[in-house]
Amino acid sequence: MLYLLLKFAHLTAAAFFIGGVFFEVMILSRAVRSLEAGPREQLSRALGQRARRVMHWVILVLFAAGLALAWHYRAVLQDPFSSSFGTLLVLKICLALSILGHFLLVVVLMRSGRMTPARSRLIHLSVLVQMLGILFLAKAMFLLNW
């Protein structure tokens, strides 16, 4: 039962995170171009404040559940390249750690005042591509064998 709850928490947080990044990259970033500078900055500030409050919790649940699930598969992770499942799980973990690194980079850039719209877009696009890779690997872990 605990495994099921961990999977549910992990998948739910992943859906929220991926949906949020997808919305920002594919919809919001294009839609705000039609706004004048003042309203665009106001919307950006309001969404940024709200996203920071929500996404911190989403990321915490996502990585905490992911860590607990990794513990569940600790036997596989002791020799990850001996099975296709282990290899794909390690790749998935590497992408997740890269996304965490991107998240930390955003925090540093925001606090230092060096975040620019171009950097933000590039980071969001990179995270979106990596999340799609994680989605593929998550499914492939249970379907591919070699």
Side-chain angles (χ1 to χ4, degrees):
M1 184 66 168
L2 179 60
Y3 178 78
L4 177 62
L5 292 174
L6 287 171
K7 276 284 234 198
F8 179 74
H10 189 64
L11 290 172
T12 302
F16 290 162
F17 188 55
I18 293 168
V21 174
F22 177 83
F23 177 76
E24 277 192 59
V25 171
M26 304 304 290
I27 298 170
L28 186 63
S29 66
R30 305 287 184 191
V32 297
R33 292 179 183 174
S34 65
L35 298 175
E36 293 182 25
R40 182 178 4 178
E41 289 172 16
Q42 189 177 12
L43 177 63
S44 178
R45 192 170 29 260
L47 285 174
Q49 288 172 350
R50 182 65 184 153
R52 279 189 294 279
R53 282 192 210 117
V54 172
M55 293 311 275
H56 284 97
W57 290 106
V58 168
I59 290 169
L60 178 66
V61 169
L62 180 62
F63 278 91
L67 190 60
L69 289 168
W71 179 256
H72 179 79
Y73 292 113
R74 65 190 176 278
V76 172
L77 291 171
Q78 286 179 346
D79 188 14
F81 302 111
S82 66
S83 69
S84 55
F85 182 89
T87 302
L88 295 173
L89 180 57
V90 165
L91 289 172
K92 184 177 176 241
I93 290 169
C94 288
L95 284 176
L97 291 173
S98 176
I99 290 172
L100 181 60
H102 281 70
F103 183 73
L104 295 173
L105 176 63
V106 167
V107 170
V108 168
L109 290 172
M110 294 289 284
R111 288 188 176 169
S112 67
R114 295 181 298 161
M115 180 59 82
T116 64
R119 281 185 180 145
S120 177
R121 175 132 175 92
L122 185 62
I123 290 169
H124 278 89
L125 191 57
S126 175
V127 167
L128 181 61
V129 168
Q130 290 177 79
M131 285 190 300
L132 292 174
I134 288 174
L135 283 176
F136 175 80
L137 291 169
K139 196 61 177 175
M141 287 169 29
F142 296 97
L143 297 176
L144 297 180
N145 286 307
W146 59 75

